[in-house]
Amino acid sequence: MYNGIGLQSARGSGTNGHVQTNKFFIQPRTGGPPPKAPLHSHDDGAGGMRKPNKEILEHDRRRQVELRLVELRDALEEQGYTEAEIEERLEEARKQAELEAAGGGAAGAAPRPGEGFTGTQSHHVAARKEKKLEAMRAALGLDDEVGQKKSSQVDSDPESGELVSGKAGF
């Protein structure tokens, strides 16, 4: 026994009596500075969800367009087209893909077969979630600006417990 810690006698206990400290016990803080705030606090009102980075989404959309064009070029070369015909068809396909992307918006669209990895990237997930939340707000008739105005215009009447629109307090 050392400083009142351990067994009175190791005899019959099945141990050799060696005392070790618990290095994994974390004592609660009693004072000192408060814990630091997280470095990335993006609280935008949607449960702390981050907004999608438009530049990353645009870059990924352009990369997907170029990937389709490379696949098309390989297919046309295998079919035996000349270089001039290939370039002409690639330009047409590029214009068509840009129009599709601009009109449909590839950020929230479901990925094509073989492009499933884009659906799991955090910015694509955030963009889809943001689109769903906008649709829900529109379906419920809510608007960000209108919701803020309504909450400032509606006060509660403490006597009756009802919400009274436009009532001036005091």
Side-chain angles (χ1 to χ4, degrees), residues 66-79 81-83 86-88 90 94:
E66 290 301 320
L67 177 65
R68 282 187 242 147
L69 293 176
V70 168
E71 291 171 354
L72 178 62
R73 175 182 284 276
D74 289 343
L76 292 176
E77 285 176 353
E78 287 177 6
Q79 293 175 3
Y81 285 96
T82 64
E83 192 62 33
I86 291 174
E87 290 299 324
E88 182 181 324
L90 285 178
R94 179 174 281 120

Side-chain angles (χ1 to χ4, degrees), residues 95-109:
K95 288 177 185 176
Q96 182 65 26
E98 289 295 327
L99 287 176
E100 273 182 24

Side-chain angles (χ1 to χ4, degrees), residues 19-30:
V19 177
Q20 294 181 342
T21 61
N22 183 356
K23 296 182 172 120
F24 297 100
F25 177 69
I26 300 173
Q27 294 183 348
R29 293 182 182 218
T30 57

